[in-house]
Amino acid sequence: MYDVTAPVAGSLLLGGPDSQGKIAGWLGPLDNLTAPPMSVGLLGDRQVLEDLHGDDFDGYVLRGQTCNARTGCCFTVYVELRGLTAPLGADLSIESTGCNDPTMSCDDEVWGSVSVPPMPPSTTTTTTLPPVIKAQFDAPSGVAIDATGSMYVMDGGGDRVQKFDASGAFVTAWGSYGSSDGQFVGASSLATDSSGNVYVADTYNARIQKFDQDGNFLLAWGSGGSGAGQFITPLGIAIDGSGNVYVSDQHRISKFDANGTFLTTWGSQGTGNGHFMYPAGVATDVSGNVYVTDEYTDSVQKFDANGTFLTTWGSTGSADGQFDFPRGVATDSNGNVYVADLGDINVLASARVQKFDANGNFLATFGRGKLSSAPGLATDGSGNIYVADGSNHRIVKFDANGALLLTWGRVCASCS
């Protein structure tokens, strides 16, 4: 059992001997959960998770990673806060991720529980945390918002689409694993048109499926291959104001009308303008321009509606305007472009969203420290941004300035 004490009211000190030494780190104060002081790099990330015991949970979980400097034992630490105001109950879970020293042994998993005392009245502050809407996702990979504000989520690991209304309430779901109409295999993204129809890039079935807003199957097109109207692994999908459908696939973009009739294609393998190494996300703006993210070249390319190259920006790195595996891309009504950067998979919560103008000039960045992955991205009519945070099995909503507004979902106990 790990000792957990609160020597400073409103804070937690995590500590206690493991099999070879001691781990210690501060969590708190409770009114500054997003950036707690740390003694060993512990707990810098607030995440909304499912109850660690598999039960319903209405609080918050803080997750961090730390290593014992003397033994090399590394751990992932979860502190589960039950409730949102002091005094809080909390559960503690510390899971070993291995020892650098093979002669040492680390406890595989340790559980404990604590009670956090209230802060003194003189120092008590009111903390407003973003609301959480209960939902269940398994690695959501895409998100789309229709004209009414309804949200559609491509639940990639669950091979289904989930729909929520403009208030965030669950409405319906459809889909299952398979290759029949209305089934999916590894579907990556989805988009909506002005009539509320939903289009899904059914990646490993090498096709596009179209549904009405209630999930009724309408049609499908595509087959495996590299010919006109065929797909290898369609990843991104977008709809323009005329109802045309753009799909990213291997080293090209294919364009169709709303009924799946092939119109044109552009791109080939390469790193030059108009070429792609791994086109992933695709989006259109109010002028009909098309934006494509390329994960392998860490860039965004902009085209007109006929595939004529217009401009490009981005390079590999973590500075403003650089990317580390960009995937999701979306535009707003003002012509701004948002790009979701998957980030370094070896760094906790390193994903982010960057905002650019229509010419690729950097404007802002947000989400780092809050997102562990960001394969899908969408905007609504009010300029809010929705991110499919796949690794955390949730959808996160930000305002146009990057302030966290709302989350749907939690990490499922069975998801790794």
Side-chain angles (χ1 to χ4, degrees), residues 166-226:
S167 70
F170 174 80
V171 176
T172 190
W174 68 88
S176 60
Y177 178 84
S179 57
S180 299
D181 293 343
Q183 294 186 308
F184 310 108
V185 179
S188 297
S189 59
L190 74 176
T192 60
D193 64 19
S194 58
S195 300
N197 298 309
V198 182
Y199 300 75
V200 176
D202 190 4
T203 304
Y204 294 110
N205 278 324
R207 64 182 178 179
I208 304 301
Q209 295 195 66
K210 179 178 179 180
F211 304 87
D212 69 17
Q213 60 187 0
D214 298 315
N216 297 304
F217 175 82
L218 298 178
L219 62 93
W221 72 86
S223 59
S226 56

Side-chain angles (χ1 to χ4, degrees), residues 83-368:
L84 303 180
T85 58
L88 300 173
D91 292 327
L92 170 66
S93 171
I94 298 181
E95 299 177 355
S96 171
T97 57
C99 286
N100 295 329
D101 186 343
T103 66
M104 298 291 186
S105 62
C106 299
D107 295 335
D108 290 333
E109 184 171 342
V110 184
W111 291 87
S113 61
V114 297
S115 177
V116 185
M119 294 189 291
S122 60
T123 61
T124 299
T125 59
T126 300
T127 299
T128 301
L129 297 173
V132 181
I133 296 177
K134 287 187 176 182
Q136 187 70 59
F137 303 116
D138 187 353
S141 53
V143 59
I145 310 297
D146 69 14
T148 69
S150 294
M151 180 177 71
Y152 300 83
V153 178
M154 189 64 245
D155 199 6
D159 292 302
R160 62 178 178 171
V161 175
Q162 295 194 58
K163 179 181 178 180
F164 300 81
D165 66 21
S167 70
F170 174 80
V171 176
T172 190
W174 68 88
S176 60
Y177 178 84
S179 57
S180 299
D181 293 343
Q183 294 186 308
F184 310 108
V185 179
S188 297
S189 59
L190 74 176
T192 60
D193 64 19
S194 58
S195 300
N197 298 309
V198 182
Y199 300 75
V200 176
D202 190 4
T203 304
Y204 294 110
N205 278 324
R207 64 182 178 179
I208 304 301
Q209 295 195 66
K210 179 178 179 180
F211 304 87
D212 69 17
Q213 60 187 0
D214 298 315
N216 297 304
F217 175 82
L218 298 178
L219 62 93
W221 72 86
S223 59
S226 56
Q230 293 186 305
F231 304 108
I232 303 298
T233 50
L235 286 180
I237 188 167
I239 317 296
D240 67 17
S242 300
N244 297 309
V245 182
Y246 300 82
V247 181
S248 62
D249 175 42
Q250 287 288 336
H251 310 300
R252 65 179 181 176
I253 302 298
S254 293
K255 179 179 179 180
F256 305 84
D257 69 15
N259 296 313
T261 301
F262 175 79
L263 299 177
T264 189
T265 187
W266 69 87
S268 59
Q269 185 173 3
T271 58
N273 295 339
H275 298 276
F276 307 106
M277 291 301 295
Y278 195 77
V282 59
T284 61
D285 65 17
V286 293
S287 300
N289 298 308
V290 181
Y291 301 82
V292 183
T293 58
D294 193 326
E295 287 190 355
Y296 286 5
T297 61
D298 290 315
S299 64
V300 177
Q301 294 193 60
K302 179 181 178 180
F303 304 86
D304 69 16
N306 297 313
T308 301
F309 173 82
L310 299 176
T311 190
T312 186
W313 69 88
S315 60
T316 303
S318 58
D320 293 342
Q322 294 185 307
F323 303 111
D324 191 355
F325 289 99
R327 178 168 290 187
V329 60
T331 64
D332 64 20
S333 58
N334 295 318
N336 298 309
V337 183
Y338 299 84
V339 180
D341 199 356
L342 292 180
D344 186 346
I345 61 174
N346 297 311
V347 178
L348 187 66
S350 66
R352 62 176 175 171
V353 176
Q354 296 191 69
K355 180 179 180 179
F356 303 87
D357 67 19
N359 297 314
N361 296 304
F362 174 82
L363 299 177
T365 186
F366 55 91
R368 180 158 283 168

Side-chain angles (χ1 to χ4, degrees), residues 4-25:
V4 183
T5 58
V8 178
S11 298
L12 287 178
L13 173 65
L14 306 182
D18 60 17
S19 58
Q20 303 295 332
K22 185 175 183 178
I23 296 176

Side-chain angles (χ1 to χ4, degrees), residues 45-61:
D45 178 35
R46 185 182 69 213
Q47 307 213 19
V48 183
L49 305 176
E50 183 183 13
D51 183 87
L52 295 170
H53 304 287
D55 303 322
D56 287 338
F57 177 55
D58 294 321
Y60 277 75
V61 168

